[in-house]
Amino acid sequence: MDKLAAMQTFARVAEMGSFSRAAESLQLPNATVSLRVAQLEEHLRVKLLSRTTRRVSLTEDGAAYLGEAQRLLQALEELEARTAGAVQSARGRLRVDVPAAAGRHVLAPALADFLVRYPDVDVDLGSTDRPVDLVLEGVDCVIRGGLVHDEQLVARALGAFEVVTCASPAYLARHGTPRSPDDLSRHLAVNFFSAKTGRVFDFEFEREGRRVEFPLLHRVAANDADTHMALTLAGLGLAQCPRTTVLSEHIAAGRLVPLLAEWSAARLPLYVMYPRNRHLSARVRAFVDWVVELYRAKFEQLESESP
């Protein structure tokens, strides 16, 4: 029995609560995962997992063993990183999930640089705006905007987007230009709603320390940044959008008009996150550090482009 492989396999089954999901995450046959755990239990002479037709749960001995196993696995990863160096020790398949717009406009164009730096790492890049359960879905890390409420995740800040209120010239020609937030009640919005809860996000403004929210009516709403932008360009309402390079290009070309410049919206923070209790592998550490570096340069570029 390969004790290290058995320990890693047991830890993944325990984290995901499923032999089949762990097998998929580790890219191993189900039978191999079951055999490794069974051999580990036989070697330790204790039952680590309680299995039913519906779920897999830790026994009391299994919970105690898992905590120590995770610490040992993390220590081993750190030892390898210190001894071999980050480039040499970062290897294996990395599963990442990012917002669709970030995947299309930021990560995909830059990912070749990461693959050159870390030739032994393969990347599965998921691009969605829906919430992802990192443990259950076997995802190593995610990039997400907004405040972090999940205490099970470690979050590293990447920066914060300025949020711009804007509309297309065609919409403004039909409905007029709002001069203050009080004018918004006479307008339609292209609203953004949460893919997790369905909650529609109100327009927000700050001025001289005063923060106000305005719920706007909408005919259309979206939960994807690129779709939200496309609907705004189509003249279907006012929108509040993060000032990305794409938005700056639309404004510079006159396709969108910034509004209410004296009223700023709260900035949108962006984070890269990974599970708190899963040992941080060299490949995840390498990717997180690379993403922090990538977005530092991106936000510096955005600041220089801001009027």
Side-chain angles (χ1 to χ4, degrees), residues 15-18 21-22 95 133-139 278:
E15 290 168 358
M16 305 190 77
S18 165
R21 283 198 292 264
R95 290 195 62 193
D133 188 317
L134 280 75
V135 173
L136 289 180
E137 298 184 39
V139 175
R278 182 183 295 176

Side-chain angles (χ1 to χ4, degrees), residues 68 114 138 264:
E68 294 300 324
F114 177 81
S264 62

Side-chain angles (χ1 to χ4, degrees), residues 11 31-32 50-51 59 66 104-105 119 122 127 129 143 150 152 187 199 203 207 243 251 262 280 307:
T32 300
S50 176
R51 307 160 177 82
T59 64
L66 177 62
R104 186 174 299 116
H105 302 297
D122 300 318
S127 296
D129 287 291
I143 294 175
D150 193 338
Q152 301 303 312
H187 287 269
R199 182 177 76 87
F203 278 43
R207 188 183 186 189
R243 186 184 282 278
I251 291 174
E262 295 181 357
L280 184 60

Side-chain angles (χ1 to χ4, degrees), residues 280-293:
L280 184 60
S281 67
R283 62 182 177 273
V284 174
R285 184 186 300 108
F287 183 81
V288 168
D289 289 343
W290 176 79
V291 163
V292 169
E293 178 185 324

Side-chain angles (χ1 to χ4, degrees), residues 103-115:
R104 186 174 299 116
H105 302 297
V106 180
L107 271 295
L111 198 57
D113 171 67
F114 177 81
L115 297 177

Side-chain angles (χ1 to χ4, degrees), residues 16 19-30 33 95 137:
M16 305 190 77
F19 279 84
S20 60
R21 283 198 292 264
E24 183 178 357
S25 171
L26 294 168
Q27 297 187 313
L28 292 171
N30 287 356
V33 171
R95 290 195 62 193
E137 298 184 39

